[in-house]
Amino acid sequence: MPVEHYTSVAKARPRLRELWGTGRSIGSVHTLGALHVAHGEVIKRAAGENDHTIVTVYPNKIQLFPGSVYQYDLEEDVAFAEHCGADIVISSDDTEMYPPDYATYVDQGDRAHRLNSSVFDYASRGQVTGAIRWISLCRPTASYFGMKDIEQSLLVQRAVKDLLIDCDIRHVPCVRYRDTGVPVSSRLRFLPLERLTEVGAVYHALETGRRLICDGETNATVIVDAVREQLEAALTTFQILYVTVADAETFAPVDRAELPFILHVAITDGTITHFDGLCLRTEQELAESPEVIWIP
Ligand SMILES: Nc1ncnc2c1ncn2[C@@H]1O[C@H](COP(=O)(O)OP(=O)(O)OP(=O)(O)O)[C@@H](O)[C@H]1O
Ligand SMILES: CC(C)(CO)[C@@H](O)C(=O)[O-]
Ligand code: BAL
């Protein structure tokens, strides 16, 4: 069956009602567009675990830099989603998603202003509000979120639980390029290889931090300093915004690295801001590093 593409929420609704009536399982993947190989992995996982797979494509303006334009080709995205196993794609635009009387946002207190949102204050609130709206629309059995975006994946899980939404949030491992360690990301797609290699230094420094902790160091200041030192030596065109050891639930900085916690880094070149992190929840993740889907 060819993919069904609904170009608005309004057009998708009748089909969604029909789908719920069948009682078959639905997996959903929500995206900003400009789909790449990592989205492909997330979509394949949803398609492998469900009878139907819905992909949404909409560059959610409340999580993006105000006034910026997210470059994507909708027709290419629809074809790629289909290729990866989606049977329904829903797209929308600012006019439909944010009419002038739009008023509702997910509020998760201080935790939504930490990690990436300590740099872009609106990011987590926008990401979580965006994700919850799509989940509310699609009512999937399970919705899939990548661990590239640690804070979003954990905050969406928190919101779904707190708002009593009947949906299983499934975390998909971060998809990284094997040669550099860089997570596949729409925002990095135009970077030449030498700058991608520089960005990859973040992952290698995070791994240094993890190994230090694994060897018994728990003092967060010592860990942050070690990660910082390695990064400073490797960065030439980017600067460090922060290196932090944070609680895995509240994202507040901690004095001691005790499971579960997040080791998180942000760097910027003034135009591109890159976040990367390790969410360490178990002894196994601490010992072996969180699972990665490696792209050759
Ligand atoms: N490298 C990746 N590994 C795992 N999941 C990913 C990866 N890239 C994107 N995803 C997941 O795909 C979903 C949609 O992400 P999104 O459309 O924002 O792509 P993106 O590449 O993260 O964009 P951007 O680079 O602008 O942040 C999210 O759940 C996100 O975590
Ligand atoms: C889930 C999402 C589509 C919500 O706008 C976005 O945050 C994203 O693509 O990660
Ligand atoms: N998937 C990350 C959301 C963002 O780029 O805003």
Side-chain angles (χ1 to χ4, degrees):
M1 286 283 282
V3 71
E4 300 164 33
H5 177 196
Y6 300 93
T7 53
S8 69
V9 166
K11 287 180 186 157
R13 278 198 197 279
R15 178 65 176 120
L16 290 168
R17 288 193 191 108
E18 197 177 85
L19 216 55
W20 301 325
T22 66
R24 304 181 80 194
S25 68
I26 302 171
S28 75
V29 179
H30 307 295
T31 81
L32 302 178
L35 300 193
H36 48 59
V37 63
H39 292 113
E41 292 295 328
V42 182
I43 297 166
K44 282 181 200 160
R45 167 101 185 263
E49 296 179 2
N50 295 279
D51 299 321
H52 293 282
T53 302
I54 302 175
V55 172
T56 66
V57 177
Y58 166 63
N60 179 29
K61 76 167 183 182
I62 63 165
Q63 75 187 68
L64 299 172
F65 193 72
S68 66
V69 178
Y70 204 80
Q71 301 289 344
Y72 70 113
D73 181 320
L74 184 57
E75 291 317 313
E76 270 181 27
D77 286 347
V78 172
F80 183 71
E82 177 178 30
H83 170 76
C84 298
D87 48 4
I88 294 179
V89 174
I90 306 172
S91 57
S92 189
D93 57 26
D94 290 346
T95 310
E96 182 179 45
M97 294 305 278
Y98 294 100
D101 57 352
Y102 186 83
T104 305
Y105 298 86
V106 177
D107 178 354
Q108 296 178 302
D110 290 347
R111 71 192 70 207
H113 300 286
R114 295 183 175 135
L115 302 182
N116 63 333
S117 292
S118 65
V119 181
F120 300 115
D121 190 49
Y122 48 82
S124 288
R125 184 174 89 138
Q127 287 171 10
V128 176
T129 300
I132 293 300
R133 294 181 82 202
W134 284 118
I135 290 170
S136 305
L137 173 77
C138 300
R139 299 193 205 161
T141 319
S143 189
Y144 294 76
F145 289 84
M147 286 305 274
K148 168 170 91 52
D149 302 289
I150 295 173
E151 63 299 314
Q152 168 173 265
S153 296
L154 299 181
L155 289 174
V156 168
Q157 190 167 46
R158 176 85 257 153
V160 161
K161 188 168 181 224
D162 291 350
L163 296 171
L164 311 179
I165 297 172
D166 186 11
C167 171
D168 191 20
I169 299 301
R170 299 194 186 152
H171 294 157
V172 179
C174 187
V175 181
R176 298 180 185 273
Y177 291 113
R178 188 175 282 288
D179 52 353
T180 55
V182 173
V184 183
S185 164
S186 315
R187 281 160 206 232
L188 301 174
R189 75 196 127 141
F190 301 120
L191 280 190
L193 182 62
E194 70 271 14
R195 297 203 65 218
L196 276 180
T197 305
E198 185 183 342
V199 169
V202 175
Y203 178 62
H204 298 297
L206 288 165
E207 276 291 275
T208 296
R210 180 189 62 79
R211 282 191 292 267
L212 195 63
I213 301 162
C214 209
D215 289 343
E217 182 60 69
T218 60
N219 184 323
T221 308
V222 175
I223 298 155
V224 165
D225 286 350
V227 171
R228 221 173 229 292
E229 193 184 334
Q230 179 167 332
L231 256 185
E232 270 162 4
L235 296 182
T236 51
T237 64
F238 282 86
Q239 286 185 338
I240 301 172
L241 289 175
Y242 67 74
V243 176
T244 187
V245 183
D247 181 85
E249 174 61 36
T250 65
F251 305 162
V254 292
D255 295 334
R256 306 215 79 80
E258 282 161 3
L259 293 172
F261 65 92
I262 297 164
L263 186 56
H264 212 254
V265 168
I267 60 169
T268 189
D269 68 356
T271 306
I272 297 169
T273 301
H274 171 68
F275 301 91
D276 200 351
L278 301 178
C279 179
L280 300 166
R281 292 167 289 194
T282 62
E283 291 290 351
Q284 184 175 353
E285 284 179 331
L286 177 58
E288 298 170 12
S289 198
E291 191 182 340
V292 172
I293 299 173
W294 292 106
I295 300 296

